[in-house]
Amino acid sequence: MRDVPVAAVAAGGLIGGYGVARWTEKRPLGGVVLAAAGALAAREWQRRSGGVAAAGLTAAYIAAFAGSHPLARKVGAWPAVFSVAGGMALASWAVTRREG
C-alpha cells in the first residue's frame, strides 16, 4: 500500500475545513473536516516520524488554523487559508520526507 500524501492531507484539511464551513454556513461541519484530516495526518506523522514529530506537527496544524483568523483580517480569508495551508504542507513534508 502506498503512503498517504500526508502533506496534502494536512493542507487539504485546512482548506477543506474552511471551504465546508463557508459554503454550508455550518462552522461545526467545517470543524469536522478539519479534525478528521488532522487526525489522519497525526496518525501518519506518528507512523513515519515518531511521537515527538507528530506532536510538533499537530501543534503546528492547530496553530495554522488559529493563525489564519488574524491573518484573514489583513489579507482576506482565502489568501490566509492558502498561506497557512502551504506552510503546513511544507512543514509536514520537511519532517516526514525520507532520504535515499
Side-chain angles (χ1 to χ4, degrees):
M1 183 171 174
R2 294 184 58 194
D3 283 338
V4 173
V6 69
V9 170
L14 292 161
I15 294 166
Y18 174 69
V20 167
R22 181 174 177 131
W23 291 317
T24 65
E25 298 181 358
K26 300 201 182 321
R27 293 179 72 178
L29 189 56
V32 168
V33 172
L34 180 78
L40 176 60
R43 187 183 75 196
E44 282 298 303
W45 293 326
Q46 166 71 33
R47 185 180 70 79
R48 293 181 189 191
S49 301
V52 173
L57 287 167
T58 299
Y61 185 78
I62 294 167
F65 166 69
S68 69
H69 293 81
L71 182 59
R73 287 196 269 295
K74 296 182 185 285
V75 300
W78 280 113
V81 170
F82 285 126
S83 295
V84 300
M88 190 64 239
L90 181 61
S92 178
W93 173 81
V95 171
T96 61
R97 68 190 167 106
R98 292 194 175 122
E99 306 240 350

